[in-house]
Amino acid sequence: VPRLVEISDPADSRLADYVGLREASLRRLLETERGIFIAEGAKVIRRALAAGYPPRSLLLARRWLAELDEVLARYPDVPVYVVEESLAEQVTGFHVHRGALASLHRVERHTVADVLNGRRVVVLEDLVDHTNVGAVIRNAAGLGWDGLLVSAHCADPLYRRSIKVSMGAVFSLPWARLPGGEPGGLLRAAGFTVAALALRPDAVTLAGFAASLEPGQKVALLLGTEGAGLSPAWLAAADVVVQIPMHAGIDSLNVAAASASACYAVG
Ligand SMILES: C[S@@+](CC[C@H](N)C(=O)[O-])C[C@H]1O[C@@H](n2cnc3c(N)ncnc32)[C@H](O)[C@@H]1O
């Protein structure tokens, strides 16, 4: 039997995991401090649980209880906070139209070494936009890549917006966070050809790079931050710089669009 707890005071400290879900800097602090992340909507909650993230609590409007019945029954010790929709809105700062939220413990599902066992890996340096992180994850998973590594300061793949934009692929694609510094040595030691995606005079075209690959060759694609692109240190760490030729005076693609083009072309 699920542990239902009715709450009618928005200041109730048991709801503290769910405050200010739209405030990125507050959430970054709070989620890091508490070692949690938030999943939104019954489908995403189910996928997070199936991926092995242990739940800490749920926050539901009453009409969503039935929808999650069988899930709740599996976690009789996890409190389920039942609230009015207006109270949920007050606490979270937005209308929770998917009706259900869960706070889950951040556990490391994969290590960097696990991800390096793959053959095709995307590596992100310091992206700041959670929408881009989520879209890259969706692209990498959807185009059959094996894993993702994010730099020490890259935006959080488990932030609510990243999860949503990834369409839950963050729960299936193996990913891990790198220690600081450029990853060239680590990737090469694991047998990868390290390809930096950047617009540079010395770059080869994406089509040329894809055509040059031998069967079975392991490829790691480095993609850079939205404004400045890859740092000099990461660029210098690559075996090859690869560009997608641009036209019509447009200087670059959005990083997620670049990831989709490159993941597809490299195959
Ligand atoms: C918006 S771009 C940054 C552009 C930045 N001004 C630069 O010169 O790299 C973000 C990332 O997307 C990738 N990217 C975007 N367009 C690209 C292209 N045409 N060729 C190769 N990589 C590209 C690169 O990895 C880049 O670091």
Side-chain angles (χ1 to χ4, degrees):
V1 183
R3 228 180 92 199
L4 302 184
V5 183
E6 305 262 355
I7 294 186
S8 54
D9 175 6
D12 191 309
S13 63
R14 289 171 295 183
L15 300 182
D17 283 4
Y18 301 94
V19 297
L21 290 184
R22 281 241 163 101
E23 295 169 46
S25 48
L26 166 81
R27 293 305 305 181
R28 194 164 37 241
L29 270 177
L30 186 149
E31 294 187 11
T32 311
E33 234 172 63
R34 295 176 171 233
I36 59 159
F37 69 96
I38 298 293
E40 180 189 358
K43 198 164 131 196
V44 171
I45 292 171
R46 278 202 191 87
R47 291 187 77 170
L49 293 171
Y53 290 104
R56 180 165 135 113
S57 69
L58 285 96
L59 176 72
L60 302 183
R62 179 166 296 284
R63 68 188 171 92
W64 282 86
L65 279 172
E67 171 83 9
L68 280 160
D69 239 7
E70 93 293 351
V71 176
L72 302 180
R74 273 190 280 134
Y75 300 95
D77 297 329
V78 173
V80 180
Y81 303 129
V82 182
V83 299
E84 293 293 334
E85 283 181 45
S86 57
L87 186 138
E89 190 167 342
Q90 247 177 300
V91 173
T92 61
F94 72 108
H95 179 63
V96 188
H97 60 278
R98 287 199 171 81
L101 294 167
S103 169
L104 299 113
H105 294 280
R106 280 174 188 260
V107 287
E108 189 188 63
R109 281 195 308 121
H110 299 280
T111 61
V112 170
D114 294 335
V115 175
L116 294 178
N117 281 328
R119 193 177 65 95
R120 295 278 186 260
V121 172
V122 173
V123 190
L124 300 180
E125 184 187 19
D126 295 359
L127 266 61
V128 293
D129 186 323
H130 293 105
T131 302
N132 283 336
V133 171
V136 170
I137 292 171
R138 180 180 181 182
N139 295 338
L143 293 167
W145 280 52
D146 300 315
L148 170 83
L149 295 171
V150 296
S151 64
H153 300 293
C154 186
D156 180 12
L158 288 178
Y159 188 68
R160 196 173 55 92
R161 178 98 192 123
S162 315
I163 296 174
K164 196 168 179 174
V165 175
S166 84
M167 305 290 285
V170 69
F171 300 130
S172 55
L173 186 75
W175 67 271
R177 194 173 283 280
L178 289 161
E182 53 80 9
L186 195 79
L187 292 166
R188 256 184 302 280
F192 284 90
T193 298
V194 182
L197 272 173
L199 286 136
R200 301 253 305 186
D202 58 340
V204 301
T205 65
L206 176 57
F209 174 64
S212 74
L213 293 171
E214 304 287 338
Q217 190 171 341
K218 292 174 77 165
V219 175
L221 276 184
L222 313 186
L223 289 135
T225 192
E226 291 86 352
L230 287 166
S231 65
W234 280 50
L235 275 171
D239 299 310
V240 55
V241 180
V242 177
Q243 69 178 332
I244 303 162
M246 301 297 302
H247 301 276
I250 311 277
D251 70 341
S252 66
L253 296 175
N254 160 276
V255 61
S259 77
S261 310
C263 287
Y264 179 69
V266 170

